[in-house]
């Protein structure tokens, strides 16, 4: 996975563990795609400080993932869900009741 | 949910975010069910310090749950999985192929 993309996913999972300031800077950098200079102007913080916050947070996000593996687990679950949905579509449906049930099950699987 | 039980579940989710010492004390208290006095003797730490570690960690676990909601999400997923398994058992099976597929799907759902 591309590093920047992986970090933006990790930010989705572990953002709530960062401080408000850290979250704001990381959001501007990874989600709004602003440059260090732009973030520095918006937040009235030196470019060097923004650089340090981003590096520090990147390390934190990677450490959290090493400890909790939420991204890894979520990707694994997602792939199992897709497999199940594919299997459900292979079930031969011979009644309206079954058809409604299978549709319902697929909807519920997406919600897990 | 009983508070002690809830804390032991939170420890399963967020234990990896605690220090080794904190994890050890919490494990002895919540999983091994030892008293403060026993933990104090095993870890060669004062009873008061053990008490403080447990209180501090309880607060940390509750804070992590407020931020990441892993226990809440897991309980919700578990209940959706049980609902899906119940629904799958209601699908009228008229062929061996469908029967094998449904069995497979149930196994996969447990793995999510």
């Amino acid at each position: 996975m591309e590093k920047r993309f992986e970090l933006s996913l990790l930010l989705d999972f572990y953002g709530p563990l960062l401080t408000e300031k850290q979250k704001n800077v990381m959001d501007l950098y990874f989600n709004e795609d602003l440059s260090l200079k732009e973030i520095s102007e918006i937040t009235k913080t030196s470019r060097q400080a923004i650089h340090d916050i981003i590096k520090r947070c990147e390390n934190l996000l990677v450490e959290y993932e090493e400890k909790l593996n939420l991204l890894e687990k979520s990707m694994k679950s997602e792939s199992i869900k897709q497999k199940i949905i594919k299997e459900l579509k292979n079930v031969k449906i011979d009644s309206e009741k079954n058809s409604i049930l299978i549709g319902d099950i697929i909807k519920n699987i997406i919600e897990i």
Side-chain angles (χ1 to χ4, degrees), chain A residues 14-54:
Chain A
Y14 303 110
L17 296 180
L18 303 179
T19 66
E20 280 310 310
K21 169 100 183 186
Q22 289 173 329
K23 241 186 298 183
N24 186 31
V25 169
M26 293 297 272
D27 180 54
L28 294 172
Y29 188 67
F30 283 99
N31 298 328
E32 304 295 328
D33 221 13
L34 299 189
S35 68
L36 295 194
K37 188 165 171 283
E38 288 167 317
I39 301 173
S40 161
E41 284 164 8
I42 291 172
T43 58
K44 300 185 192 356
T45 312
S46 75
R47 197 183 171 287
Q48 181 60 44
I50 296 298
H51 173 268
D52 293 347
I53 289 173
I54 293 171

